[in-house]
Structures are given as structure tokens and as C-alpha cells.
Amino acid sequence: MKKQRNTVFGLAVSLIAICSCSGFYLPGLAPVSFCEKSTDECQTIIQLFVNRLDSVESVLPYEYDVFDFCTDEKEKRPSENLGQVLFGERIETSPYKLSFKKDESCVKVCTKSYAVNNKDDKKKLDFIKSGMQLNYQHHWIVDNMPVTWCYDVEDSQKYCNPGFPIGCLVTPDGRAKDACVINAEFNKKNTFYVFNHVDITITYHSGENEGWTGARLVAATLEPKSYKNDKDKPTCDGPPMEVPGDLTSNLDLTYTYSIKFEQNNAIKWASRWDYILVSMPHTNIQWFSIMNSLVIVLFLSGMVAMIMLRTLHKDIARYNQVDQDMVKISPARNTSMSYEDAQEESGWKQVHGDVFRPPRKGMLLSVFLGQGAQIFIMTFITLFLACLGFLSPANRGALMTCAVVLWVLLGTPAGYVSARFYKTFGGEKWKTNVLLTALLCPGIVFADFFLMNLILWVEGSSAAVPFGTLVAILALWFGISVPLTFMGAYFGFKKPVMEQPVRTNQIPRQIPEQSFFTKPLPGIIMGGILPFGCIFIQLFFILNSIWSHQMYYMFGFLFLVFIILLITCSEATILLCYFHLCAEDYHWWWRSFLTSGFTAAYLFVYAVHYFFSKLQIVGAASTILYFGYTLIMVLIFFLFTGTIGFFACFWFVNKIYSVVKVD
């Protein structure tokens, strides 16, 4: 047993090493070479793209053009994949024109003028002020790599943020908010300071001694600054650009930039994301905490498995011994009492005639199982591909695109699993079963998503999915997923009913009075604690990635936690199922699904805690959006974990009642 645990632990550590190392680099992504003179092998112009602006204080992202910034006269939008559209990314070209190895200083981009008596100008300026008040962040892209703002934090560490703020605010009571704390000159009360200048530094790796032409970009950083420039001849020095809280005179905002190039051959192109990922906050704590959590979960899993194996082994040996004694010893001997005594010790054998009695609401349970199987396979394949590096941060939107496409193509397993169990439960309304499998849970998710999208449309957010994309999603659902679900259901109903190891009695057995811990609700509530314990650390960083706009890249650990989650859900459900059968409660079908599925309830509670303790979200729209999207995650996680527990318990019950001889 010890040797087996060591082997499993060694495989786990190997998986971490392989997946974590390969997670930084996207296989097949071709590097782009730059040189001072454009040739067939390299290019001179470095295109700077701008993405949506977002904030940790608001769920609503906005397109770059919504703010009154400088725009590109020949604006072009690169093609966006489905994942980028669903996440609200809106990438477009910028007016910042960069040429390789051409250092420039204080280059004017444009000037925006605001008249105090013009309502449109006042509205545009108020929107920029609102963005500064909520700490909205720019997101720029160079060579498919984020332009980062690197600054020193506590303990002399450097943090590289893949975004930089529009500006900052000093409140009427003189309190400097957000980025205003970095400059002592930002001290005037009730004043906004716009970051209208950026110092850009682009680091490249020269290919002179590498066997390839030109140079490859390995880092792009900037430092935002605020200068009150003359609109005709900007100098990029002097006092900061102040925007009064109450505008009383005309205002001119001149945007400028400076750029310099640095050579650094120590940084390889394949590892150019490392300086961003390594500087993520609490990265070292994350590694230690996850490892600690995995060791604890592995230990608990081993304990549960050992208890189950030893207990079941004793039960099976005792029952087999009783059966042999009853054959050898004369009926005149009072052997029936020893048999009854053995049965009273563990009553799971006494319910053999009822344990496979079809459950109530078998239609709904079979539908949940079909959808859960579809989500499980989709999650496994997606995480495996992400672990190999195909869905790294360099490939924007690939993770969501992969998940959606896989879900659409996995309608066949959903229909097959649902039909097989519904037929086993004795159901006859096969049409209703297939339609519910194809439409019920996806319909709930789509209805929630559509309502959230309406709010985004009303708010004018870039995260609002265009009508054409919604039609495309519906086409994928009804044109591909639904027919595949029908095809899977056809093969599922065509198969014979699953054979059970024991016959079911015609008259249901009366269930004795249960203790508090063997009643359904306490058992279900306790069943979700252990699975949640193995995911809550990863859950914190996943929520940070979604709502705090931090990059998530540790797919190796996530895949390992996924495997551990499967083990803990299975073992916790099997353990509680065994206790309930010993208490002669044979209603295990729904209980096995809900026991591990209740982990989703802990997920929701943790999301509520995260909202009030970690986030600074303000506004009714942002709050509704947060909980609306959280409910989608909770539903998907409920189906996922519930299906894992059910299949584990289904295998366990079939196994014990087929091994033990039952008269």
C-alpha cells in the first residue's frame, strides 16, 4: 500500500513538472522577426494594438473607442475567435506608430479639447473621470504580448501589471487614490490626474549569432506619466495634467509617448512571458499552498480507501463464512442466530432486494447524468490540452473556444448516458428524455447568459456579445449539439437494460428509523466538505483571474487538482453510501449524486465571501452580473461533481452486491 502511494505521488510530481514547464509556451506559435529595413524575412513597423479597458471595481469592460482617447485613422480589427468575443475582448489598432530600433522622445499623438459650455464635451470628459474614479486600466498589445507596467512592491519585489490606469483621483478630502500615491505632486484636492504620456521600452533578442535574421521582441514595458503639455509643442516635462472635479474653463488634453529599444540576448523568445508570470502576486505562496493541499488530500484519500477496503473485506469474509457454516452444520443447530447477528452488525446485505429499485424522478436524474458526463469529458480534454501548452495565455481566447467547441461536439455521450440510465430506471417517455437532455441545462445557462448580456447591452459594455454571435451559438447548439444528442440517445435506447447483480423485490422494504448522521440532509452537507477542501486554493486564483483580471497559467497544477477532485468526490460518496446502506437505507441513487454535487453549494458560498471580502465592485449592474455569471459556474460544477459521485457509487454498489453471494 505504501509503495503504491509513493508511486502515485511520484507520478503527480512528474505531472506537475511537465505541465508547469510546458504551460508557458504555445507549441506551433511562429515568432515574428523585426529589423531596421523591411525584408521578406522581417518587418520594420511594430504594430501596437489596444484592447478593452476593465476595472477591479466594475464588472463592465468598455472598448477603447468608448473613451475619448486618440484613435487610429486607419483603424483595423484583427479577427477574433469565439472565446475572445465571449470574454469581451475588442482588439483594434492604435495611433501609436513604432519603428524597430528607432528611439523617439515626446512624440505627439493627438490633442483632445473640451469646451466648458459644450454638453457633448462635458459628457466625454465626465466618462473619462468616471473611468479614473473606478480605476479603469488600459491593455495594450505588442507582438501578441501585453505591454506591462512594472513597479516595485513590498519586500523589494517587482510586480508587472499587464495594464496601466487611465489616471487617478485625489478626493475632496485630500486622500490620494490608486496610482496617485506614487507621485507627491498629485496632491490637489478634488482633482483628477490623467496619464497622458507613456515611456515605452521594448526589449529584443538579436539573431546575429542565433542563425536567424533580425531580432525578436522579448519584453514590452511602459511607465505612465502625467504632463501638462502645450498642444502645439509638447515638451513632456513640468507639472502634471490636472482635470478639476468641477470644470470651469476650457481644457486641452495632449497625448504623447516616448520609446526606446534595448537589446537583451539573455531572454529567450520562448520564455518571454516569464517575467510577467513570475511577478504575479503570491505566486510562491500559491505553489506552496497547492502542494500542501494536495498532500493533505492524498493522505485523506488514502485513509478513506484503506478504511473502505478493510471494512468491506471483513464484511465479505464474514458473510461467506456464515454461508459455509450454514451448509456444513445441521439445521437443528441454531446457526440462524449467528447469521442474523452478522446481518445486524452490517445491514447493507439486508437491503439487497431493494438497492436497485428505480429512484423517484428518474427522468431528471438521467438528464443530469447525461449533461454531467458531457461536462466531465469536455473539462478533462480542455485541461489536458491546456496542460500541454496549447491553451496558454499567448493564444488569446483559446481556452473558452476549446471548451465551447468540445461541449458542442460531445452531445453524443450526453444522449447515450441519459438514455441508458433512463431505460434502466424503467422509463418509457424516451422523447421527453432526449429533449430534456438536449435543452434543459443548456437552456438554463443560455437564459442566464442572455439576461446578463441584456444588462451589458444596456450599459454599453464591450463584453456584450453581438447578436450575430448569439445566433451562431444557437446554430451550434441546435444544428450540431442537439442532433448529436439524439444520435447518442438512439444508441443508448437500442442497448438492452443494464443487468443488476440481484433481483428487486416487488414490495419495498421499510426503512428503519435513522440516526442524525445517516439522514439524507446531514450526509449530503458533509459529503461536499472534502472535495471543496482540495479546490478552494485553486478556486481563489481562478476567481482572481476572472474578476481581478490576472493571468492564469498554472494549468499543470489545475489538472492535478482536477484528478484529485475526482478521487475525493468518488471516495467521499462511496464512504457515505456505504454507511447509509449499513443503516438499511437503500435510497442511494439521488443521494450519491447530491452528496458530491453539494460541493457546488460550498463553491457558491465561497464566491459570496470572495465578493464581499476581496472585490471592490460597486454598482447594481456589476453586482447582478457577478452573481449571474456565478450561478452559471455553480450549475456547471454541480452537474460535474454530482456525476462523478454517482458513477463512483454506481460502480461500488454493483461491485459489492455482485461479489457477495445473495440468496
Side-chain angles (χ1 to χ4, degrees), residues 30 72 139 169 180 189 195 211 251 265 411 416 472 567 577:
D72 189 8
H139 292 280
L169 163 69
C180 276
K189 295 181 179 181
F195 291 135
L251 180 71
N265 289 349
Y416 180 82
I567 298 172
C577 178

Side-chain angles (χ1 to χ4, degrees), residues 86 444-454 463 465 470 473 628-629 632:
L86 293 178
I444 294 173
V445 172
F446 185 82
D448 190 332
F449 180 78
F450 184 75
L451 290 175
M452 298 303 103
N453 206 52
L454 285 178
V465 177
L470 287 178
I473 293 174
Y629 288 128
I632 293 178

Side-chain angles (χ1 to χ4, degrees), residues 14-24 386-388 553 555-557 559:
S14 301
L15 183 63
I16 292 175
I18 294 171
C19 296
S20 298
C21 292
S22 62
F24 299 151
C387 179
L388 295 178
Y553 63 96
F555 295 109
F557 271 121
F559 186 76

Side-chain angles (χ1 to χ4, degrees), residues 133-280:
Q133 195 166 7
L134 294 174
N135 196 25
Y136 269 84
Q137 306 267 324
H138 285 279
H139 292 280
W140 292 1
I141 303 167
V142 166
D143 193 27
N144 199 35
M145 184 173 54
V147 182
T148 58
W149 176 30
C150 297
Y151 52 88
D152 293 328
V153 291
E154 56 187 14
D155 298 330
S156 301
Q157 295 183 349
K158 181 166 286 190
Y159 172 58
C160 291
N161 184 14
F164 66 96
I166 299 173
C168 60
L169 163 69
V170 176
T171 60
D173 59 358
R175 183 169 56 91
K177 288 188 60 179
D178 304 318
C180 276
V181 299
I182 65 176
N183 193 333
E185 294 185 10
F186 300 161
N187 53 20
K188 187 173 291 188
K189 295 181 179 181
N190 193 25
T191 303
F192 295 86
Y193 293 91
V194 181
F195 291 135
N196 59 334
H197 175 84
V198 287
D199 288 330
I200 305 172
T201 302
I202 294 181
T203 307
Y204 63 91
H205 183 113
S206 177
E208 292 181 5
N209 301 319
E210 302 286 345
W212 38 268
T213 307
R216 294 172 181 173
L217 308 187
V218 293
T221 61
L222 60 74
E223 184 178 358
K225 295 181 178 179
S226 179
Y227 293 122
K228 187 174 183 180
N229 284 317
D230 183 84
K231 66 178 181 179
D232 297 321
K233 293 181 179 181
T235 57
C236 299
D237 57 11
M241 183 66 223
E242 298 176 356
V243 178
D246 300 317
L247 190 65
T248 56
S249 60
N250 295 344
L251 180 71
D252 292 325
L253 264 175
T254 301
Y255 292 89
T256 56
Y257 73 93
S258 299
I259 182 167
K260 65 177 180 178
F261 291 83
E262 296 179 352
Q263 180 176 333
N264 187 347
N265 289 349
I267 304 175
K268 301 295 183 182
W269 183 87
S271 59
R272 61 180 186 162
W273 286 73
D274 287 6
Y275 82 97
I276 305 174
L277 304 180
V278 171
S279 72
M280 287 293 176

Side-chain angles (χ1 to χ4, degrees), residues 591-604:
R591 189 175 296 179
S592 64
F593 186 92
L594 296 175
T595 296
S596 54
F598 198 79
T599 311
Y602 292 104
L603 169 63
F604 179 76

